[in-house]
Amino acid sequence: MVISSLSEIPFLLFANRLMQRVRLTHILLIASLAAALRWLSFSFTENPYWVLPAQVLHGLIFIVLTVTMAMYINREVPKELKASGQTLNGLLSLGVARIIGSFFGGFASEAYGMRSVFLFNAWIALACTACIIWVSIKEKKAESITATEDKGALNQ
């Protein structure tokens, strides 16, 4: 727990500057890759001491997702719905997701074993990474189309 908590400090110290320079989708991409790597390392770890270095990746996952989602909601949701958006995010990510994950994770670990569940989680994280890449490419295409249309309007 100490390693996990301490690994979050660098992001908290530099989050504002980082978010000004790097797109939120790219930050989420790094977090999803870190999650996949962490789950994958847990699935192959036999010695409990090797879990400790893997916990350093926690600083690239939990706090990054929490802060990035809060910033995204703050930027994208209309002013009158921001509080509702933050509440819904908290309810889903810190409440419902944990209840469902704990419930089904317990069944899955009993049925298939912890290593298999960790490996499955790594695949889920990689699928999320692919979704983030897809969204990022889609955003770039939309921006280039908008820029082209704006150029055309200026030339007329």
Side-chain angles (χ1 to χ4, degrees), residues 3-143:
I3 293 170
S4 298
S5 298
L6 290 176
S7 69
E8 294 175 355
I9 293 172
F11 181 77
L12 290 172
L13 291 174
F14 300 108
N16 192 33
R17 281 187 252 162
L18 183 66
M19 288 188 182
Q20 289 173 354
R21 294 182 180 151
V22 181
R23 288 180 161 202
L24 290 179
T25 51
H26 294 148
I27 294 171
L28 289 172
L29 180 64
I30 292 167
S32 64
L33 287 171
L37 183 60
R38 183 173 179 235
W39 287 121
L40 190 63
S41 67
F42 283 162
S43 73
F44 290 118
T45 299
E46 291 184 23
N47 186 335
Y49 290 113
W50 282 106
V51 170
L52 300 175
Q55 282 299 93
V56 173
L57 292 170
H58 180 80
L60 292 174
I61 303 166
F62 178 76
I63 199 66
V64 172
L65 292 175
T66 303
V67 171
T68 305
M69 286 304 299
M71 295 294 288
Y72 181 80
I73 291 167
N74 195 43
R75 287 182 189 175
E76 300 296 327
V77 174
K79 185 178 179 180
E80 63 275 4
L81 295 175
K82 286 184 186 201
S84 298
Q86 297 292 0
T87 302
L88 183 61
N89 178 44
L91 174 71
L92 293 175
S93 63
L94 300 173
V96 175
R98 289 183 182 211
I99 292 168
I100 292 171
S102 295
F103 184 76
F104 288 111
F107 281 122
S109 64
E110 285 292 320
Y112 304 107
M114 288 298 287
R115 287 180 170 202
S116 296
V117 172
F118 288 150
L119 186 60
F120 181 71
N121 286 343
W123 283 109
I124 290 173
L126 287 173
C128 291
T129 302
C131 289
I132 293 168
I133 291 169
W134 179 73
V135 167
S136 185
I137 290 169
K138 196 172 178 180
E139 280 180 351
K140 284 183 182 182
K141 283 183 182 179
E143 285 177 6

